């Protein structure tokens, strides 16, 4: 379904929520709002194909409607030893939708957990993905979550995280924001939609700078970490244990 959540003028703009209304249009919303969303998936699939799995766990933290899990499963459809996917999301409607999407997949092993990432225990895993989710978690909890992720990974395990990021320099920040709104207009969003969503996300989506993001990865225990992708104010990071 096409995202029209902010298309009509709202008298009061409430804080953004991953509720039923958003869930219904989420796949359209994210592909039109996150630059190179499909390319990031391509990168994740490429990395995933390099890992030898033997029934090990892959986490998708903040899995939303399960698009990433579905894509990974479909990338190696006839693999003899496929991984066990665990999707975590605190939104009940997202978990329901994710379950619906994955139930159509053949020979997939998975579990979905409805809960807050900061509250759940992570089992031993080989790959953890957390795309566009840490930015919604209070800043003071982020390091604790990344430490938990590092602890869960087996030696050689990989963590991939994508986020909206905040440039350190104000002038660059202004330019990137302007370029990002151009991108949203190119994808069919009106100025009203852009401005109303911006207001709804204010104080809810709190981006880190790239430096903060890398400091967190280092402080969590990762010795090897890099930016693997950046487009203006969006970046993806890899950490290897
Ligand atoms: C932007 S979406 C993630 C998109 C998804 N990873 C993808 O690439 O398609 C953020 C998701 O994180 C979930 N979320 C936000 N805070 C969370 C938390 N503390 N624990 C678990 N899930 C959370 C939201 O419900 C939402 O589904």
């Amino acid at each position: 379904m096409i995202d029209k959540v902010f298309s009509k003028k709202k008298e009061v703009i409430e804080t953004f929520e991953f509720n039923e209304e958003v869930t219904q249009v989420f796949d359209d919303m994210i592909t039109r709002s996150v630059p190179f969303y499909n390319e990031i998936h391509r990168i994740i699939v490429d990395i995933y194909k390099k890992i030898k799995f033997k029934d090990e766990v892959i986490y998708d933290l903040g899995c939303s409607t399960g698009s990433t899990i579905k894509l990974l499963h479909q990338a190696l459809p006839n693999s003899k030893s496929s991984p066990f996917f665990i999707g975590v999301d605190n939104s009940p409607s997202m978990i329901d939708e994710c379950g619906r999407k994955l139930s159509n997949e053949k020979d997939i092993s998975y579990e979905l957990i409805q809960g807050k990432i900061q509250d759940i225990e992570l089992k031993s895993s080989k790959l953890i993905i957390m795309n566009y989710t840490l930015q919604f978690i209070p800043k003071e909890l982020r390091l604790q979550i990344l430490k938990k992720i590092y602890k869960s990974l087996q030696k050689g395990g990989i963590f991939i995280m994508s986020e909206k990021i905040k440039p350190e320099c104000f002038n660059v920040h202004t330019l990137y924001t302007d370029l990002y709104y151009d991108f949203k207009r190119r994808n069919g969003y009106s100025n009203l939609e852009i401005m109303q969503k911006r207001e709804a996300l204010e104080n809810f989506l709190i981006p880190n700078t790239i430096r903060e993001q890398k400091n967190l990865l280092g402080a969590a225990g990762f010795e090897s970490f890099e930016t693997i992708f950046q487009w203006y104010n969006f970046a993806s990071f890899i950490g290897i244990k």
Side-chain angles (χ1 to χ4, degrees):
M1 274 167 68
I2 305 291
D3 169 23
K4 296 267 177 214
V5 175
F6 292 97
S7 63
K8 293 209 179 87
K9 175 102 182 89
K10 292 181 190 276
E11 288 313 314
V12 181
I13 311 256
E14 288 177 354
T15 301
F16 191 88
E17 268 184 66
F18 291 99
N19 56 19
E20 183 69 46
E21 184 190 18
V22 167
T23 300
Q24 289 312 313
V25 299
F26 186 75
D27 290 355
D28 177 63
M29 177 185 275
I30 194 151
T31 41
R32 289 202 287 138
S33 307
V34 170
F36 292 93
Y37 180 71
N38 293 332
E39 193 56 34
I40 302 304
H41 270 160
R42 175 81 249 167
I43 290 171
I44 295 171
V45 166
D46 286 346
I47 292 171
Y48 166 69
K49 284 180 168 172
K50 300 275 175 214
I51 305 172
K52 296 268 173 295
F53 287 99
K54 234 179 152 201
D55 309 319
E56 283 111 338
V57 166
I58 296 184
Y59 277 102
D60 186 5
L61 304 177
C63 61
S64 297
T65 63
S67 302
T68 310
I69 295 178
K70 178 178 165 183
L71 200 78
L72 291 181
H73 174 64
Q74 291 184 346
L76 293 174
N78 301 319
S79 167
K80 283 215 173 71
S81 46
S82 58
F84 185 80
F85 295 99
I86 304 182
V88 179
D89 205 291
N90 66 346
S91 156
S93 56
M94 287 291 188
I95 286 290
D96 286 351
E97 187 55 36
C98 184
R100 263 193 293 279
K101 196 179 269 185
L102 298 183
S103 66
N104 295 326
E105 295 303 304
K106 241 180 109 215
D107 299 330
I108 182 169
S109 311
Y110 69 94
E111 176 190 350
L112 299 178
I113 299 172
Q114 193 241 305
K116 289 187 176 172
I117 297 161
Q118 56 267 40
D119 294 342
I120 62 158
E121 276 188 33
L122 300 181
K123 298 178 187 164
S124 167
S125 63
K126 214 159 186 183
L127 174 63
I128 301 182
I129 300 155
M130 183 163 57
N131 279 348
Y132 316 107
T133 296
L134 195 68
Q135 59 198 21
F136 295 111
I137 295 175
K139 272 198 160 194
E140 63 277 13
L141 300 178
R142 294 181 186 178
L143 178 58
Q144 160 204 324
I145 288 173
L146 292 182
K147 281 184 173 168
K148 191 160 68 172
I149 287 169
Y150 180 80
K151 196 166 160 229
S152 148
L153 284 171
Q154 297 171 15
K155 189 112 189 78
I158 293 181
F159 174 49
I160 298 170
M161 167 174 68
S162 303
E163 290 272 279
K164 190 168 187 190
I165 49 116
K166 187 173 93 184
E168 293 189 27
C169 165
F170 180 73
N171 290 341
V172 175
H173 175 67
T174 309
L175 176 64
Y176 281 8
T177 304
D178 196 19
L179 290 164
Y180 177 53
Y181 292 161
D182 287 345
F183 162 85
K184 291 192 90 171
R185 276 184 215 103
R186 284 200 297 277
N187 284 339
Y189 284 115
S190 66
N191 287 339
L192 179 69
E193 285 174 295
I194 294 169
M195 288 310 139
Q196 293 197 121
K197 187 165 181 199
R198 175 197 177 141
E199 206 176 319
L201 287 173
E202 190 97 44
N203 304 321
F204 178 49
L205 190 170
I206 315 279
N208 280 335
T209 63
I210 289 207
R211 195 197 305 253
E212 284 172 328
Q213 220 59 293
K214 288 191 164 175
N215 284 345
L216 281 175
L217 287 167
F222 287 99
E223 279 153 21
S224 317
F225 53 86
E226 288 291 342
T227 311
I228 40 169
F229 184 88
Q230 186 179 354
W231 180 93
Y232 305 137
N233 51 349
F234 285 80
S236 301
F237 304 85
I238 185 167
I240 304 179
K241 181 161 174 178

